[in-house]
Structure formats: C-alpha cells, structure tokens
Amino acid sequence: MASLTDLVNLNLSDCTDSIIAEYIWIGGSGIDVRSKARTVKGPITSPSQLPKWNYDGSSTGQAPGEDSEVILYPQAIFKDPFRRGDNILVMCDCYTPQGEPIPTNKRYNAAKVFSHPDVAAEVPWYGIEQEYTLLQKDVSWPIGWPVGGYPGPQGPYYCAAGADKAFGRDVVDAHYKACIYAGINISGINGEVMPGQWEFQVGPSVGISAADEIWVARYILERITEMAGVVLSLDPKPIKGDWNGAGAHTNYSTKSMREPGGYEVIKKAIEKLGKRHKEHIAAYGEGNERRLTGRHETADINTFKWGVANRGASIRVGRDTEKEGKGYFEDRRPASNMDPYVVTGMIAETTILWKGN
C-alpha cells in the first residue's frame, strides 16, 4: 500500500505529458509571496508557452471584493525542486483585466528600465546578498536562542560551525541545493553576525533576472522553512539592541565599469546615487531606519558616504576594484525586505539614465 510520502514523490513523467506549474506572485504587502498550481501540457521551456491566469485579489489586499479579479502574466520559469521531474515554478507579475499593472506590480517599471536601449547596452550585473533570520515558530524568537533570553554577545557566530554557534544549517543547505536545482544563479551562503541569521547570494545576474531569482529564492526558502517548522523573517532589525540588522546589499556594475577606466565611471555613478540618497532610502525597504543607525556595519540613514573597503559606508568599493581601476561597487543601504525589482531598476535608472541635474 502506497504511503503519503510515496504519493508526494510520485513520478508522473512515465505515464503522462501533464506537468504542474506553480504560479508565484507578490501579495498586497509587497513582501509576501503567494502561489497556486495548475496542470499544463509539458515540457515547458519558455514562459510564453504558459497561459495567463487569475486570482482573487480581494484576498491578498490587491483588489476590492466587487471587482476582485487580478491577472497573472508568466514572466520567468524555474525547475520545481519540490515536485521535480518536468514540473516548474513560474514567477508572475500582476495586472487588471484591462491589462494595466496593479500598484504592487513593481516588475513592470523595472522591465521598462531594463529594456531601455541605453541600459541594455550597459549589460548591468547584480549580485544581491539576501540576509534573513530564522525564528522559532510559536514565540517569534531566533532559533538557537533561549526562549525569553539571549545568547552570548556577537563575535563567535559569523561563518561559524558548532552546535552552540550555528543554528539552522539544515534549512540553509536544503535551500542552497534547492536553488541550484531550480536554476537560480545562487553563488553562496554563510552564517551571519547575529546567531540565527544567515545570508545567501544571487548573482552576478543580468538585469531583471537578478530580481526574478531573488523572489523565487525567497519563495523556495518560505517553502523549506514551512517544512522545517521554523519561520522566515526578512525584518531589517528583528531584535532590538546591540545586534546586527539584516540587509540586502546590492553589488552592481555596468559594462563601462568593468572595462579599463571603469573606476572613473564608478565614481560618477556613486556621485549620482549621493544626489538621490533620500529617494533611494525611501524605496529601499520598510523599517530600514531601525537598521541604518551608523552602528553594526551601517552608515546612518541620513548620511551618504562611500569608501574603499568601508563597511560603515553607504557605498563600499572593493580593494580589487580600486587596484585594477575597474569592477563593481556595493550599495549597502537596501534592507532585507526590499523589493529587488525596485532596487535593481532604481540603481540602473539613476546611474545610467538620470542626467544628474
């Protein structure tokens, strides 16, 4: 007699050409990921092969009850690490039935930026460092921490090993491998400074694909923490006091920055970012003021400064970039709960399209 596990892991490929497509989208808070599945004929090799679909936007805070239909447009596909086989994950964005992007569809404007000829010619690369915290399910307190109490001070936890220093590695490694299986360009993981906090990196990825990959990686992490019985937090300062916050440092370069003489291009780009500091900060995540205090490897939220190898700066330039006269820089301001469509599109728009007036 088949067990539940046998049925969950059932391989359908030898008996049907039907596959399961899990449609993923961003909900009304701008940070929650939603999904539902449908059966389609496979294999699917491009999102253009998939039908549009709809959902009840009144249940996600994205439409009124009397006119609740929101339309999903498939935009990117990934292999499904949970169902496997030819089954897929589908990153979508959201529109009204009349074809207008809904207010929470931040991908639409980002796609316009990245399709601009001047931006496309610069082939913008992004490497995004997504920090996150794993919480105990019923008490909203980091895993590995005594309930109602605190572990020893920060110092021994960053990139550490050991049962008293690294908490949740099974979740982290499961996520790492699942992202590789899915086809996400995940480039690494590490334990962070605060115990119970981790980071994964996506990139370098070109243009809007970096944001698609971060969103699907977040979705996969939500699913894995669901199975593990722990809670994923993208709060930029989950614990008050003398503890590091969580960011989404965004590394960036253009073709001109990667070529000889690129360091001068980088400095001009940083100057533009400084002129629009308040505008970027306003779009870089909720609750970021609790994180950007000028302490714990951050610059103060009201101050813009950059430096070489300076992790207390708004923008950090690496030693190798300075030495070689070309390369990339790191925007350290985005919060862990930032929308990668907003941040990547905004950086490209400011540094490439904006004239700096």
Side-chain angles (χ1 to χ4, degrees), residues 6 62 67 71 85 119 125 142 146 186 214 218:
D6 289 335
Q62 294 171 295
D67 186 16
I71 312 302
V119 176
W125 288 3
I186 187 169
I214 283 287
R218 286 175 173 177

Coordinates of all heavy atoms in Angstrom, one line a residue, residues 6 62 67 71 85 119 125 142 146 186 214 218:
D6 N 5.2 8.3 -0.6 CA 5.3 7.7 -1.9 C 4.5 8.5 -2.9 O 4.9 8.7 -4.1 CB 4.7 6.2 -1.9 CG 5.7 5.3 -1.2 OD1 6.9 5.6 -1.1 OD2 5.2 4.2 -0.7
Q62 N -5.2 43.3 -2.8 CA -4.8 43.9 -4.1 C -6.0 44.3 -5.0 O -5.8 44.8 -6.1 CB -3.9 43.0 -4.8 CG -2.6 42.8 -4.1 CD -1.7 41.7 -4.7 OE1 -2.1 40.5 -4.7 NE2 -0.6 42.1 -5.3
D67 N -14.8 43.7 -7.4 CA -14.1 43.6 -8.7 C -12.7 43.0 -8.4 O -11.7 43.7 -8.5 CB -14.0 45.0 -9.4 CG -13.4 44.9 -10.8 OD1 -13.3 43.8 -11.4 OD2 -12.9 46.0 -11.3
I71 N -5.0 39.5 -12.9 CA -4.5 38.6 -13.9 C -3.0 38.4 -13.7 O -2.2 39.3 -13.5 CB -4.7 39.1 -15.3 CG1 -6.2 39.6 -15.5 CG2 -4.4 38.1 -16.4 CD1 -7.2 38.5 -15.2
G85 N 10.9 16.4 -11.6 CA 10.5 16.0 -12.9 C 10.5 17.2 -13.9 O 11.4 18.1 -13.8
V119 N 20.3 51.3 -21.2 CA 20.5 50.3 -20.1 C 21.0 49.0 -20.6 O 21.9 48.4 -20.2 CB 19.3 50.2 -19.2 CG1 19.5 49.2 -18.1 CG2 18.9 51.6 -18.6
W125 N 25.1 44.2 -14.3 CA 25.2 42.9 -13.5 C 24.8 43.3 -12.0 O 25.2 44.3 -11.5 CB 26.6 42.4 -13.5 CG 27.1 41.8 -14.8 CD1 26.4 41.7 -15.9 CD2 28.4 41.2 -15.0 NE1 27.2 41.1 -16.9 CE2 28.4 40.8 -16.3 CE3 29.5 41.0 -14.2 CZ2 29.5 40.1 -16.9 CZ3 30.6 40.4 -14.7 CH2 30.6 39.9 -16.1
P142 N 14.6 34.2 17.6 CA 15.5 33.4 16.7 C 15.8 32.0 17.2 O 15.9 31.7 18.4 CB 16.8 34.3 16.8 CG 16.3 35.7 17.1 CD 15.1 35.5 18.0
P146 N 17.7 31.0 23.7 CA 16.9 30.6 24.8 C 15.6 31.4 24.8 O 15.6 32.6 24.7 CB 17.7 30.8 26.1 CG 18.7 31.8 25.7 CD 19.0 31.6 24.3
I186 N 22.4 31.1 -7.7 CA 22.8 31.3 -6.3 C 24.3 31.0 -6.2 O 24.8 30.0 -6.7 CB 22.0 30.4 -5.3 CG1 22.3 30.8 -3.8 CG2 22.2 28.9 -5.6 CD1 21.4 30.1 -2.8
I214 N 15.9 36.4 -7.0 CA 15.7 36.7 -5.6 C 14.3 36.3 -5.1 O 14.1 35.7 -4.1 CB 16.1 38.1 -5.2 CG1 17.6 38.3 -5.2 CG2 15.5 38.5 -3.9 CD1 18.3 37.7 -4.0
R218 N 13.4 33.4 -2.5 CA 12.6 33.7 -1.2 C 11.5 32.7 -1.1 O 11.2 32.2 0.0 CB 12.1 35.2 -1.2 CG 13.2 36.2 -1.0 CD 12.6 37.6 -1.1 NE 13.5 38.7 -0.7 CZ 13.2 40.0 -0.8 NH1 12.0 40.3 -1.3 NH2 14.1 40.9 -0.4

